């Protein structure tokens, strides 16, 4: 098969995969979530099996642990977050009105300098644009995942999928490995190892970063007395999965709530800003380098683009597959670039 035919074949296969994702997106969430959990938890099952535990029992134990964790979160944390979210939505118009009043106040000279003479109109336009953007993103995500955000699909289908995938993970990998042409097997295996290393390092590391930062923001803001501090902190931690987005979003929302709540006592407002800036500094210089590492090879801009693009196109399913596809694309691009730089097409030499 010539190079042109190989490129055409893989391009058609990729477009077919995207078409299937588009057509089946209303039913894919528990299966994609189960696949993601199996990928993350298979090393734990391997470790338990090496210690003499039957693999089926190890997989069942892991799935039960996941279910209990989800139930504990649903019973202990989710109701409080929902309560705060409802209260925040109810208070949001008052907060926006309060911010507009503060900006329009002629005594707020520093705000006049920042946003200009027509400050009230500028802030109103900014808030209106921000609200419209958030509504559009939330609507697209909800439209892509609302059919599967049900108790039955997550609590029943996903654990079953996870259990069977953990049990059969290595057998499935062996079957896929046997389908690779013998001449290309070593190359494909090397690419697969690089993709696996990038995905596993990013997912496991970034999830740890999300947990630590979410805990830090939630505790710090709650102790500070910021209204909806728990909700803002946990949401900021979750959004940190997309590099830099969580801290910046939390900074903007937390500062806005702090201004509406504490003004004119600017010390508390500065403290809220300092909490998020300190979290961003620690994440970028201490936590992320140690937990995510340098071998991921995924540029933050590429990850942000992939998350937004696939989230917009495929909803929650798109968010879950964005990072693996971004990692695979980055590895394949580097491989293709290396092949091109070593080819006669780049050097201008005639093939021998």
């Amino acid at each position: 098969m010539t190079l042109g035919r190989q490129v055409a074949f893989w391009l058609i296969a990729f477009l077919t995969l995207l078409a299937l994702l588009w057509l089946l997106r209303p039913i894919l969430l528990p299966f994609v979530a189960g696949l993601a959990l199996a990928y993350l938890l298979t090393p734990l099952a391997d470790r338990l099996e090496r210690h003499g535990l039957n693999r089926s029992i190890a997989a069942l134990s892991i799935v039960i642990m996941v279910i209990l964790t989800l139930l504990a979160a649903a019973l202990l944390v989710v109701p409080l977050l929902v309560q705060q979210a409802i209260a925040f939505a109810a208070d949001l118009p008052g907060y926006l009105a309060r911010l507009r009043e503060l900006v329009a106040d002629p005594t707020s000279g520093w705000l006049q300098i920042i946003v200009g003479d027509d400050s009230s109109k500028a802030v109103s336009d900014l808030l209106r644009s921000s609200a419209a953007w958030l509504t559009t993103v939330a609507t697209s995500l909800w439209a892509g995942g609302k059919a599967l955000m049900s108790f039955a699909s997550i609590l029943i289908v996903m654990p079953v999928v996870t259990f069977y995938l953990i049990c059969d993970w290595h057998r499935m990998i062996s079957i896929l490995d046997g389908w690779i042409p013998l001449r290309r097997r070593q190359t494909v295996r090397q690419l697969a190892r690089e993709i696996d290393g990038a995905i596993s390092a990013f997912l496991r590391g970034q999830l740890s970063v999300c947990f630590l930062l979410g805990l830090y923001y939630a505790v710090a803001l709650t102790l500070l007395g910021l209204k909806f501090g728990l909700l803002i902190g946990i949401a900021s931690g979750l959004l940190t999965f997309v590099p830099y987005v969580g801290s910046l979003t939390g900074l903007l929302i937390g500062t806005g709530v702090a201004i509406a709540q504490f003004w004119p006592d600017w010390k508390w407002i500065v403290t809220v800003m300092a909490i998020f800036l300190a979290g961003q500094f620690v994440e970028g210089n201490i936590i992320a380098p140690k937990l995510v590492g340098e071998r991921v090879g995924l540029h933050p801009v590429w990850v942000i683009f992939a998350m937004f693009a696939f989230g917009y196109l495929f909803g929650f399913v798109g968010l879950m597959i964005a990072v693996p596809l971004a990692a695979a694309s980055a590895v394949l691009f580097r491989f293709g670039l290396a092949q091109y730089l070593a080819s006669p097409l780049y050097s201008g030499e005639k093939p021998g």
Side-chain angles (χ1 to χ4, degrees), residues 275-289:
I275 288 173
F276 284 100
L277 293 177
Q280 181 62 57
F281 176 81
V282 173
E283 175 199 355
N285 295 276
I286 300 176
I287 300 179

Side-chain angles (χ1 to χ4, degrees), residues 173-326:
I173 297 298
S174 299
I175 292 174
L176 293 175
D177 184 73
W179 292 350
I180 303 173
L182 295 178
R183 292 179 57 189
R184 306 292 183 185
R185 186 163 294 180
Q186 289 302 117
T187 301
V188 173
R189 285 176 176 174
Q190 179 61 31
L191 291 174
R193 282 192 290 268
E194 293 181 17
I195 293 173
D196 175 67
I199 295 174
S200 61
F202 183 86
L203 288 181
R204 295 185 176 96
Q206 201 67 16
L207 287 174
S208 301
V209 171
C210 290
F211 174 78
L212 293 175
L213 283 182
L215 182 63
Y216 160 70
Y217 289 141
V219 172
L221 295 176
T222 301
L223 293 177
L224 186 65
L226 183 71
K227 292 188 68 175
F228 316 113
L230 180 65
L231 175 66
I232 295 173
I234 291 180
S236 300
L238 292 176
L239 289 175
T240 303
F241 188 81
V242 186
Y244 304 109
V245 171
S247 296
L248 294 178
T249 303
L251 175 63
L252 293 176
I253 297 177
T255 302
V257 173
I259 291 174
Q261 178 181 345
F262 296 122
W263 184 264
D265 193 352
W266 57 269
K267 294 180 182 178
W268 298 110
I269 300 172
V270 172
T271 303
V272 171
M273 297 175 64
I275 288 173
F276 284 100
L277 293 177
Q280 181 62 57
F281 176 81
V282 173
E283 175 199 355
N285 295 276
I286 300 176
I287 300 179
K290 289 185 176 296
L291 296 180
V292 180
E294 300 295 335
R295 67 189 184 96
V296 174
L298 291 178
H299 195 279
V301 174
W302 177 232
V303 175
I304 293 172
F305 173 79
M307 297 285 286
F308 273 75
F310 282 94
Y312 178 79
L313 292 174
F314 304 108
F316 287 102
V317 173
L319 290 177
M320 299 189 71
I321 66 175
V323 170
L325 289 181

Side-chain angles (χ1 to χ4, degrees), residues 5 21-22 26 31 64 93 103 116 126 143-144 148 167 199 207 209-210 219 249 289 307 315 318 320 344 346:
R5 289 184 177 181
L21 288 175
W22 175 261
F31 299 95
I64 291 175
V103 174
L126 176 62
L148 268 298
C167 289
I199 295 174
L207 287 174
V209 171
C210 290
V219 172
T249 303
M307 297 285 286
M320 299 189 71
Y346 173 77

